[in-house]
Amino acid sequence: MITAKHRVGLVFFPAFDWCISADHPEREERLLYTRDQIIEEGLLDIPGIVEYRPIVAEEKDIQRVHICVPSVAKRVSEPHRIAAGGTMLAADLVLDKKVERSFALLRPPGHHANRIVHGSRGFCTINNEAIMVEHIRHRLGPKVRIAIVDTDAHHADGTQDIFYNDPGVLHISLHQDGRTLYPGTGSFLERGGPASFGQTVNIPLPPGTGDEGMLYVTEQLVLPILAEWKPDLIINAAGQDNHYSDPLTNMEFSARGYAQLTDLLNPDIVVLEGGYSIEGALPYVNVGLILALAGLDYSHLKEPDWHPTRLKQSRQVTETIHEVVDQVWNLWENRKKANLQQIFGKDRFYTRHRQIFYDTDQIIEKQYERIRLCNECSGWRLIFSETNEGVGLSFKIAAIIVPWLSCNLCRREALSDFDKLTESKTLDYVYFQDNEQDLFLCK
Amino acid sequence: MQVVGIDVGGTNTDATLLSEDKRVLAMVKTPTDHSNILASTKAALNKILKLKNDAHPVQLHLSTTLSTNAIVEGKGDSTAVLALAGPGLNIADFGFNFSVYSIQGYVDHRGRIVKEIDREEILKIANQLRIDGTKSIAIVGKFSHRNNSLEIAVKELLETQGWFKVITLGHQLSGSPNFPRRIMSAYLNASVASIQANFVQMIEEIIKTNPIISDVKILKADGGTMGLKESCLRPIETILSGPAASIMAALALVETCADNAVVVDIGGTTTDIAVIVGGEPLYQRNGAVIGEYQTLVPALLTHSIGLGGDSEVHIEEHNIVLGPKRAGTAAALGGDSLTPTDAAIALGLVELGVKEKAIAVLKQRTKGKYDSWLKLAEAIIDAFAYQLSEAIHEMYQRLTKVPVYTVSEILAPKDIRPKKVIGLGAPATVFIPLVAKILNLPYQILPYSAGSNGIGAAAARPTLAISLHVDTEEESLIIPELAYREKIKRRLFFDRKQARRIAIEKLESYAEQMGLSDYGEIQIIEDEAFNVVRGFYTVGRIFSIKAQIRPAVWRVR
Ligand SMILES: [Zn+2]
Ligand SMILES: [Zn+2]
């Protein structure tokens, strides 16, 4: 009798009645063939693989991460709440020891959603993994160390944005080089904010990277980094668009490669991100992931059009990968030696200006951000954000964010700035987010 | 038409004769002879026909444990499975307790043939199987419900040799997905097919000598009936018809049942709980489970708990726990065990057996805070009601957590909460009012507490289901249960309405072909439509429709 070696919780939610728009890649049947394959293979009958119905995330859960402009109700639809809730449930299953590992196999995805949300970008509105991370911290406290390994072909710019200055999170993103693919960011020079410098690890891979390269990166770079940082929990944001058949990217991963990657990473929680080869990749990749998580044999798995020559990766690609691994490892090893004053300045605040494009909703957002450089904590933050030329309404807002384990001084400064800002006549809304106090205000 | 319903149960065989207007004319009970199901059937039939005092023709409905026993006791024919598995899970890992040979050839999830079969390989394996004494073969392909042509090709190849007396094809048993279940279903079907064929042959002889019997139908696990001919093709569907008969009896006897209800059948050793939603019984999510075999056989959902009139009584410090094992015969009925039945008799809740013996056995077991027989008896009755209501509650809890795949089902889940408790079985009069009180629901206790399975068998009506899968990009239309496949024309104009219409028409003509006439309405129970998009263009549509004859019963008075 076949039995899972590791008990796996599967929160499967294909949202068959929801799409962004009729011909959009994020549409009803995205997980149809995946469902067909999972059920036909009999995976859900295997003792130790347990399917769960997602819960619906509440406004409060979303506000622990996002500043939705103007409000959660206006920006976040029910399918997004279910995807976020299903991801939270996946974490609960592991924390409650109902299962050893869990897999939130659901849509819509979330890793391009930033902290400030004016609309959808890269098919994402709210960030499922980030909402889960805050949920976990509200259960386990701020000292829990969480690693997110994002293996989607696109740079996880949203997740990076949210945990950019967060000492409790290690964010590793493997992706096709941003110079060749949306969203364009994810250079290894983006290394995190003043309080968590080096904990944003970007690994840009050349187009044409196959299983061989991906496994090399995992063994030579990702695993050593994880071993050194010693997270309490490993989350894999498992996009499946590195597959050789994906229409949006230029990578060469196979279903078996994904299963091997999962085996190596040994994640506690896996969350589906992108992946739009809905017939040729997703059914097989997802079966591979579930088998790997359950500790079952996936060596008989292969795509109908897979051929051994697929394994061959060009020499040039291999060489580029080796260079990337060396460079990123070098940056990681020397992260604590970096001269932070040189990077973030000697002032009380570090400031940056950014422009963010919402491709899905055609919105341009301009941000001014200020982080308090504090010796006692990771520092409170102020963000001014403004949209224009977008479809529909544009907003001008300010948001104040108090970090976990904030010092009293930062919290006091943040509150007094909030009071001052609420008197401003030029701002539409002013938000205040303090996760440790579980406080969210909007004026 | 009058109907005789016979249910060959584990201990007794129940027979019921219903009049044309579905009144109970007669009921009989005979002991079941396990080694000879046919003799048990015959005995019950003869006994009830003797009580029939007119010459009107009758229809015979049979619910037997023939297949179930053959499976559980491993008495089926020696059977091997040829599996067209393709890549995926390693079939050897499943550890089937029967021979499964992986052969070349497979189709993908869209039903496209990826690899053809290897005739030489098949003949080589089959020849060895024949030499080893294999009588029956099941041919099962992954995704054969999307494209059955490989299964059929293997069958045709084997038929040219004529080596095997039975060949079952996976796709003919069900249009539902799940390859391992398809393998198990087809294996079991092939292994019991000749037993069913013999049985049917002998039933046909009985009909010949009893011209009063106009027609025979066989009961299925889904609570419906099927014809003799069909029962030879799909004997596996006759498994677990006994529990189904009990639920159908409840539906037949209940006053009004268009609403939600919970059916509780309290027996001596176990209590079975079934769920009615909107007047219809709920099905198992994937199919019947029999012993260690998970199948695709549509079956009514029942949850069985080890609690009954004869359950063991465990007296603990703070509470009383009943079951899960049977203690034995109640003291009041001549046994020597303390059972919930004794408690009911001692308290005068039922008039049965010897009350003094019940009180005596209670007195022997007084202990701790249960220091008088009266306190103990009351506590036992309360514990029974409590345990049963908890089990009902848990079953509904589980049902509300069954995964769903659409946003609308998450946001507006179907209301399955019971509005009424329907009680069956001898102890029902004692316990159902208490359970209903705990659950805060009205209740109804059904008449004919003994032998209601015969009523269920008699009142059952035909069911039949087909699955239609249309893939306009592939220009294919398939109905696996009918082994029907056509190339669709004018694919750009093929729409959902047309798909539904074809499903209904095909089901109607199938019913006619199976000689069914008195069936209830046809309903669509699954209806999916998805676009197939290439790049940014919609190039086709996929429709998946399941149509069935609604499981229904004759209302019995
Ligand atoms: Zn992606
Ligand atoms: Zn501070």
Side-chain angles (χ1 to χ4, degrees):
Chain A
M1 188 64 185
I2 190 168
T3 307
K5 290 190 185 67
H6 306 283
R7 202 171 154 80
V8 175
L10 181 66
V11 186
F12 181 45
F13 188 67
F16 283 146
D17 53 352
W18 182 80
C19 63
I20 288 182
S21 63
D23 290 341
H24 195 281
E26 196 51 70
R27 60 178 182 267
E28 291 92 340
E29 73 272 24
R30 186 172 160 224
L31 293 174
L32 171 68
Y33 308 108
T34 294
R35 175 202 63 179
D36 288 353
Q37 197 76 35
I38 287 174
I39 294 184
E40 178 67 3
E41 295 283 3
L43 282 179
L44 301 180
D45 280 333
I46 295 175
I49 298 178
V50 195
E51 196 186 2
Y52 291 87
R53 181 198 278 218
I55 53 169
V56 185
E58 290 174 21
E59 191 172 82
K60 191 176 184 168
D61 302 312
I62 297 163
Q63 282 171 343
R64 282 171 178 169
V65 171
H66 293 292
I67 316 289
C68 291
V69 183
S71 62
V72 169
K74 280 263 158 48
R75 283 288 158 251
V76 183
S77 67
E78 301 297 348
H80 293 103
R81 286 174 189 249
I82 298 168
T87 310
M88 285 162 55
L89 175 68
D92 285 338
L93 294 173
V94 171
L95 299 189
D96 295 337
K97 301 206 160 39
K98 286 187 181 153
V99 298
E100 285 171 72
R101 294 144 172 202
S102 63
F103 184 10
L105 177 46
L106 38 74
R107 55 182 283 270
H111 76 152
H112 294 304
N114 290 343
R115 185 173 293 273
I116 310 275
V117 175
H118 288 281
S120 296
R121 51 192 306 272
F123 317 167
C124 306
T125 304
I126 53 173
N127 196 306
N128 298 329
E129 292 90 3
I131 290 169
M132 168 171 66
V133 165
E134 289 304 342
H135 177 68
I136 293 171
R137 285 205 275 217
H138 274 272
R139 287 196 54 181
L140 302 184
K143 298 225 166 108
V144 61
R145 291 164 72 81
I146 299 172
I148 302 173
V149 182
D150 190 301
T151 47
D152 189 280
H154 299 92
H155 175 228
D157 56 345
T159 316
Q160 173 171 313
D161 172 71
I162 292 164
F163 299 115
Y164 180 67
N165 196 42
D166 193 325
V169 175
L170 169 67
H171 184 241
I172 303 174
S173 178
L174 285 81
H175 46 263
Q176 183 178 328
D177 196 316
R179 288 167 291 194
T180 62
L181 188 69
Y182 177 90
T185 49
S187 139
F188 46 69
L189 297 173
E190 297 162 30
R191 300 171 69 193
S196 60
F197 190 71
Q199 278 175 229
T200 292
V201 180
N202 281 308
I203 310 173
L205 300 169
T209 301
D211 293 350
E212 183 194 334
M214 182 259 302
L215 295 174
Y216 177 82
V217 171
T218 307
E219 285 175 329
Q220 301 301 318
L221 187 58
V222 178
L223 294 182
I225 290 176
L226 289 172
E228 192 186 322
W229 199 71
K230 295 190 180 58
D232 301 312
L233 285 166
I234 298 175
I235 295 161
N236 178 206
Q240 304 178 355
D241 40 12
N242 290 301
H243 193 264
Y244 62 78
S245 65
D246 196 274
L248 306 182
T249 68
N250 320 91
M251 304 294 261
E252 294 289 331
F253 293 17
S254 76
R256 214 182 294 165
Y258 272 104
Q260 284 171 293
L261 169 69
T262 309
D263 243 356
L264 287 173
L265 274 182
N266 192 15
D268 300 285
I269 304 153
V270 177
V271 185
L272 174 68
E273 276 299 331
Y276 298 94
S277 171
I278 64 174
E279 276 190 61
L282 267 61
Y284 310 104
V285 175
N286 282 308
V287 167
L289 253 65
I290 295 169
L291 289 177
L293 288 172
L296 295 170
D297 176 18
Y298 50 78
S299 65
H300 291 246
L301 181 73
K302 74 175 179 68
E303 301 83 337
D305 61 351
W306 186 85
H307 193 269
T309 54
R310 287 253 175 226
L311 272 177
K312 291 206 174 65
Q313 182 177 278
S314 89
R315 217 167 109 186
Q316 199 192 342
V317 166
T318 306
E319 277 168 17
T320 311
I321 292 169
H322 288 196
E323 280 165 28
V324 169
V325 167
D326 290 345
Q327 262 163 319
V328 176
W329 177 250
N330 199 23
L331 291 173
W332 168 258
E333 273 207 315
N334 294 310
R335 69 191 187 284
K336 285 179 181 157
K337 293 180 201 143
N339 184 344
L340 295 182
Q341 285 197 347
Q342 201 178 343
I343 302 166
F344 299 104
K346 295 178 194 163
D347 300 338
R348 286 186 67 227
F349 294 97
Y350 162 66
T351 58
R352 62 172 181 170
H353 292 266
R354 288 199 298 163
Q355 185 161 304
I356 295 151
F357 180 53
Y358 291 65
D359 60 312
T360 310
D361 282 349
Q362 298 287 307
I363 298 169
I364 296 168
E365 178 195 1
K366 283 195 182 123
Q367 264 193 24
Y368 162 80
E369 185 181 7
R370 208 176 73 177
I371 304 177
R372 171 85 165 89
L373 295 172
C374 176
N375 290 328
E376 305 297 318
C377 73
S378 52
W380 69 280
R381 276 204 278 177
L382 166 66
I383 302 171
F384 285 109
S385 161
E386 180 178 0
T387 55
N388 49 18
E389 300 147 55
V391 223
L393 291 171
S394 52
F395 294 94
K396 193 170 179 184
I397 63 114
I400 285 177
I401 298 139
V402 180
W404 282 97
L405 299 169
S406 170
C407 70
N408 288 335
L409 189 65
C410 278
R411 181 166 284 127
R412 237 180 295 139
E413 260 182 44
L415 271 168
S416 88
D417 251 50
F418 177 64
D419 286 341
K420 268 182 241 156
L421 284 168
T422 51
E423 280 154 27
S424 156
K425 299 228 159 50
T426 56
L427 292 170
D428 297 313
Y429 298 95
V430 182
Y431 303 88
F432 185 84
Q433 186 190 53
D434 184 343
N435 266 331
E436 197 154 357
Q437 309 287 328
D438 210 6
L439 189 66
F440 188 89
L441 303 168
C442 169
K443 280 192 177 154
Chain B
M1 177 89 69
Q2 293 183 0
V3 191
V4 167
I6 295 178
D7 176 65
V8 185
T11 325
N12 291 311
T13 296
D14 297 327
T16 297
L17 172 64
L18 295 183
S19 69
E20 221 143 304
D21 59 351
K22 306 302 181 253
R23 279 173 301 114
V24 176
L25 294 179
M27 292 175 80
V28 299
K29 196 183 265 296
T30 55
T32 297
D33 175 2
H34 266 295
S35 59
N36 198 340
I37 301 283
L38 185 75
S40 303
T41 310
K42 261 190 196 162
L45 178 65
N46 290 336
K47 202 166 165 189
I48 196 129
L49 287 182
K50 273 195 194 115
L51 296 174
K52 182 169 150 59
N53 48 20
D54 57 41
H56 294 302
V58 294
Q59 195 171 48
L60 180 58
H61 285 184
L62 292 176
S63 159
T64 79
T65 49
L66 194 70
S67 305
T68 308
N69 288 351
I71 290 167
V72 174
E73 291 161 18
K75 287 189 179 146
D77 284 335
S78 136
T79 302
V81 178
L82 298 181
L84 298 142
L89 268 69
N90 184 0
I91 208 153
D93 285 348
F94 280 92
F96 295 116
N97 64 357
F98 47 87
S99 311
V100 180
Y101 296 85
S102 238
I103 56 173
Q104 293 210 17
Y106 76 97
V107 298
D108 73 359
H109 52 76
R110 286 283 291 279
R112 292 170 294 216
I113 295 175
V114 181
K115 196 164 190 191
E116 293 288 348
I117 58 168
D118 176 347
R119 287 160 196 277
E120 265 177 47
E121 176 198 44
I122 293 164
L123 288 176
K124 207 171 134 198
I125 293 171
N127 187 40
Q128 189 58 46
L129 287 171
R130 174 187 63 98
I131 293 164
D132 295 344
T134 300
K135 296 273 179 291
S136 306
I137 291 284
I139 302 162
V140 189
K142 194 179 281 178
F143 288 112
S144 68
H145 62 306
R146 295 284 161 79
N147 183 345
N148 54 11
S149 60
L150 294 185
E151 281 184 4
I152 290 171
V154 177
K155 181 188 183 205
E156 284 170 354
L157 178 64
L158 294 185
E159 275 174 348
T160 57
Q161 307 297 320
W163 290 336
F164 306 103
K165 59 178 182 178
V166 174
I167 298 179
T168 291
L169 301 185
H171 71 269
Q172 288 187 321
L173 300 179
S174 167
S176 299
N178 199 321
F179 182 51
R181 280 181 184 254
R182 191 176 307 121
I183 289 176
M184 288 188 254
S185 309
Y187 163 74
L188 295 177
N189 196 72
S191 73
V192 299
S194 61
I195 296 176
Q196 181 71 16
N198 286 338
F199 181 73
V200 164
Q201 200 185 348
M202 288 189 266
I203 293 294
E204 276 166 344
E205 270 159 35
I206 294 174
I207 304 174
K208 270 186 215 149
T209 56
N210 277 299
I212 201 167
I213 299 170
S214 69
D215 187 18
V216 183
K217 293 264 185 292
I218 307 284
L219 230 75
K220 302 191 290 182
D222 71 352
T225 63
M226 63 178 165
L228 288 179
K229 197 166 95 187
E230 209 196 336
S231 81
C232 293
L233 187 67
R234 286 196 271 263
I236 186 64
E237 294 215 25
T238 66
I239 57 168
L240 305 177
S241 61
S246 128
I247 299 168
M248 296 326 260
L251 285 173
L253 291 165
V254 74
E255 279 158 13
T256 50
C257 200
D259 216 334
N260 296 352
V262 56
V263 177
V264 183
D265 185 353
I266 309 177
T269 316
T270 60
T271 294
D272 295 330
I273 307 166
V275 173
I276 312 279
V277 174
E280 283 176 34
L282 279 195
Y283 283 70
Q284 300 261 24
R285 191 171 177 224
N286 300 307
V289 177
I290 174 163
E292 60 198 293
Y293 303 104
Q294 294 173 308
T295 74
L296 284 172
V297 175
L300 298 181
L301 177 71
T302 53
H303 178 53
S304 195
I305 55 168
L307 181 70
D310 303 334
S311 285
E312 284 175 347
V313 177
H314 306 278
I315 302 161
E316 321 216 316
E317 199 184 333
H318 298 292
N319 63 332
I320 283 173
V321 179
L322 306 175
K325 285 196 197 120
R326 182 175 187 270
T329 307
L333 302 177
D336 48 15
S337 315
L338 170 60
T339 68
T341 304
D342 291 307
I345 292 170
L347 292 171
L349 299 173
V350 275
E351 294 206 6
L352 201 69
V354 188
K355 191 174 175 177
E356 289 69 31
K357 283 191 180 165
I359 294 175
V361 76
L362 280 160
K363 276 184 177 158
Q364 277 172 30
R365 299 279 299 272
T366 53
K367 182 172 144 190
K369 70 176 196 179
Y370 310 104
D371 56 4
S372 73
W373 73 262
L374 191 66
K375 271 189 204 166
L376 181 58
E378 283 171 347
I380 291 171
I381 300 294
D382 286 348
F384 195 106
Y386 172 76
Q387 279 179 236
L388 183 48
S389 60
E390 280 295 291
I392 294 170
H393 182 72
E394 278 163 24
M395 185 177 184
Y396 276 87
Q397 281 289 310
R398 276 197 299 279
L399 288 172
T400 58
K401 287 182 187 151
V402 168
V404 293
Y405 296 154
T406 59
V407 174
S408 58
E409 286 168 287
I410 293 269
L411 299 179
K414 199 171 177 186
D415 186 7
I416 59 165
R417 285 171 303 175
K419 303 275 187 309
K420 184 168 153 185
V421 183
I422 299 168
L424 281 94
T429 47
V430 176
F431 298 109
I432 291 297
L434 299 171
V435 168
K437 199 175 162 194
I438 294 173
L439 298 173
N440 199 15
L441 290 172
Y443 67 88
Q444 186 189 346
I445 292 161
L446 301 180
Y448 309 111
S449 61
S452 61
N453 279 13
I455 295 177
R461 295 169 67 185
T463 53
L464 202 59
I466 58 164
S467 319
L468 174 83
H469 189 82
V470 181
D471 187 328
T472 69
E473 192 198 10
E474 298 290 315
E475 299 184 326
S476 81
L477 182 157
I478 176 168
I479 303 174
E481 295 91 340
L482 306 180
Y484 179 80
R485 199 176 158 79
E486 74 168 49
K487 197 173 156 73
I488 56 165
K489 287 162 239 130
R490 304 208 304 144
R491 66 189 189 92
L492 293 179
F493 300 96
F494 197 96
D495 62 7
R496 197 168 190 160
K497 231 169 87 190
Q498 200 176 347
R500 290 176 73 111
R501 201 196 56 207
I502 294 173
I504 290 168
E505 282 172 9
K506 290 288 174 194
L507 183 57
E508 278 169 347
S509 66
Y510 184 28
E512 197 184 312
Q513 183 196 334
M514 286 294 157
L516 306 180
S517 50
D518 58 339
Y519 57 82
E521 78 182 276
I522 287 179
Q523 56 181 185
I524 304 283
I525 48 169
E526 265 178 49
D527 184 353
E528 287 183 353
F530 288 99
N531 288 334
V532 181
V533 181
R534 287 267 178 286
F536 284 86
Y537 298 97
T538 301
V539 295
R541 300 264 283 161
I542 290 178
F543 302 97
S544 276
I545 289 171
K546 222 170 212 147
Q548 72 166 6
I549 291 172
R550 190 176 184 268
V553 285
W554 297 113
R555 182 83 53 240
V556 172
R557 278 160 293 167

